[in-house]
Amino acid sequence: MVKKNIRLEVMQAIEPKVGEFMDSFLIPIEDIWQPSDFLPDPKSDNFLNDIEQLREESKELGYDFWVTMVADTITEEALPTYEAWLMDVEGINQHEGKENGWSKWVRAWTAEENRHGDVLNKYLYLSGRVNMREVEITTQHLIADGFDIGTDRDPYKNFVYTSFQELATNISHKRVGQMAKKKGNALLGKMCTIIAGDEMRHHLAYREFVKHIFGEDPSGMMLAFADMMKKKIVMPAHFLRESGGSIGTAFENFSNCAQRLGVYTAQDYIEILKKLNSYWQLDAIRELSDEAEKARDYLIKLPSRLQRISERMAFPEDQYQFKWVEANGTL
Ligand SMILES: [Fe+2]
Ligand SMILES: [Fe+2]
């Protein structure tokens, strides 16, 4: 007997709605912002003056700030890895003609995301504050290494991951933008804020996908969610390496920077989890298997458990010297 592929059936059941999701959560290409809207215009007579101003303003920002910007940029630049990963997920089929709703979603989402690495990379290059060659080597390593985010080809787990990750990037881009603005760097502030806006729309979409899956297969979805949280949501930055380094070695140092600056902290992880638990209304879900009941219990108690752990965590104050950024003081 052929075993039923429930995940494929669930994805097929939701697929007719993907067009609506795209209308609600993505912006038509002709209407959305482009990197050029935020960068000096090379056709303008003022181009060189504008670059001069951009470079002056960027001198106000310190070492930790640039390390975080670099890591955020590299994380965006690893987009080929995410697209390849998502295209391989059960139910997302790019071979069934261009009409498979889910593969259309992945292409359109990728196309929006692609602008993030593009604008950040150009900005970093123009700012003159970072060692671009080292940044480029790390980017190439990250894409060449690939990474396992622990989701397999399971759409349930993948959409938990993306729901979580999109909100995490929203938070970190937003905070970086606020910091830039505070230091008088209005252009960079605007740029990061608008990227954060894209991340928020994507987060809203992915959490909606999960909500629909809960409607179709509540026990399966609950177990997948709990499984992802048990493994912890591993950020793509986890796999960063510098030139000459081995995979993952740059992450801890970067993470310390992000914690010190407060752009993405252990507390944020807990807040994201609480938001997901409440949007998916875990306590209201009916007809769960015994195993899924246990998974729900675990998920509902998890935020306070993590809270207790995070209160005991300490972060070293000393700075590691990344090759990406010359030491130029701290914020
Ligand atoms: Fe992004
Ligand atoms: Fe994103």
Side-chain angles (χ1 to χ4, degrees):
M1 202 178 87
V2 182
K3 212 174 147 237
K4 263 180 49 166
N5 186 343
I6 297 184
R7 277 160 165 74
L8 185 58
E9 282 177 20
V10 167
M11 286 293 275
Q12 284 166 348
I14 302 171
E15 201 212 307
K17 293 198 187 114
V18 177
E20 268 168 58
F21 294 147
M22 286 175 64
D23 292 343
S24 316
F25 299 112
L26 300 179
I27 295 178
I29 295 170
E30 313 291 328
D31 302 335
I32 202 167
W33 63 271
Q34 294 298 338
S36 300
D37 301 338
F38 297 93
L39 294 164
D41 177 2
K43 288 211 320 298
S44 149
D45 290 339
N46 262 334
F47 183 55
L48 294 178
N49 287 338
D50 290 346
I51 290 179
E52 200 58 51
Q53 195 194 336
L54 185 155
R55 291 168 75 90
E56 273 311 308
E57 284 179 358
S58 65
K59 286 184 183 151
E60 298 299 313
L61 297 158
Y63 174 82
D64 276 358
F65 179 90
W66 290 108
V67 169
T68 309
M69 266 287 285
V70 165
D72 282 357
T73 306
I74 294 166
T75 306
E76 296 287 349
E77 294 276 49
L79 186 60
T81 307
Y82 316 131
E83 185 182 25
W85 192 284
L86 285 174
M87 275 302 187
D88 204 30
V89 165
E90 192 80 73
I92 299 180
N93 188 341
Q94 61 177 327
H95 304 292
E96 265 179 8
K98 287 197 162 220
E99 293 318 304
N100 176 279
W102 289 113
S103 66
K104 258 193 203 167
W105 163 270
V106 173
R107 285 197 301 273
W109 169 84
T110 304
E112 281 203 359
E113 284 287 343
N114 187 54
R115 296 141 53 252
H116 301 168
D118 189 353
V119 72
L120 289 169
N121 189 320
K122 283 178 178 135
Y123 180 87
L124 279 182
Y125 175 78
L126 292 175
S127 77
R129 308 304 291 168
V130 305
N131 183 329
M132 278 314 281
R133 191 160 203 284
E134 288 294 338
V135 172
E136 288 157 357
I137 290 174
T138 300
T139 303
Q140 187 170 352
H141 268 307
L142 186 61
I143 297 173
D145 285 333
F147 44 80
D148 183 354
I149 51 176
T151 55
D152 211 334
R153 298 185 62 216
D154 181 354
Y156 301 5
K157 289 183 189 172
N158 272 283
F159 292 159
V160 167
Y161 183 87
T162 47
S163 298
F164 200 101
Q165 172 66 12
E166 294 283 8
L167 191 49
T169 50
N170 161 268
I171 292 168
S172 82
H173 286 308
K174 194 171 61 192
R175 299 232 178 98
V176 167
Q178 284 162 351
M179 261 182 270
K181 208 179 279 172
K182 230 194 241 158
K183 291 275 177 181
N185 199 322
L187 178 78
L188 182 57
K190 249 200 248 165
M191 219 172 82
C192 294
T193 306
I194 202 149
I195 296 174
D198 283 7
E199 309 291 16
M200 179 51 89
R201 284 185 292 100
H202 298 163
H203 160 70
L204 298 178
Y206 284 115
R207 75 172 193 178
E208 205 55 40
F209 300 169
V210 171
K211 188 151 196 141
H212 277 73
I213 297 174
F214 265 121
E216 301 282 334
D217 181 9
S219 292
M221 190 60 238
M222 193 71 79
L223 290 169
F225 183 19
D227 189 61
M228 285 307 292
M229 297 316 300
K230 275 178 194 155
K231 284 194 275 212
K232 294 200 187 80
I233 304 284
V234 183
M235 297 293 141
H238 223 98
F239 304 92
L240 290 179
R241 59 160 110 189
E242 291 182 277
S243 64
S246 55
I247 185 164
T249 43
F251 174 69
E252 204 178 319
N253 297 311
F254 156 65
S255 177
N256 287 338
C257 264
Q259 287 270 1
R260 258 196 314 262
L261 277 179
V263 288
Y264 185 72
T265 66
Q267 193 58 41
D268 293 318
Y269 189 93
I270 299 168
E271 297 304 324
I272 293 172
L273 176 59
K274 280 191 201 162
K275 280 192 181 136
L276 294 178
N277 276 356
S278 104
Y279 186 71
W280 294 330
Q281 296 180 294
L282 293 203
D283 33 5
I285 291 170
R286 301 275 160 265
E287 292 170 44
L288 290 175
S289 66
D290 289 351
E291 207 191 339
E293 283 286 2
K294 275 187 212 139
R296 160 168 50 200
D297 236 35
Y298 163 80
L299 286 163
I300 288 177
K301 287 181 188 145
L302 187 56
S304 48
R305 227 181 84 199
L306 291 175
Q307 193 70 55
R308 288 194 299 276
I309 298 169
S310 86
E311 276 152 21
R312 293 197 298 267
M313 269 175 4
F315 298 97
E317 284 299 317
D318 51 318
Q319 282 194 347
Y320 167 82
Q321 183 62 52
F322 281 96
K323 293 178 183 173
W324 305 326
V325 184
E326 313 296 329
N328 63 341
T330 50
L331 274 176

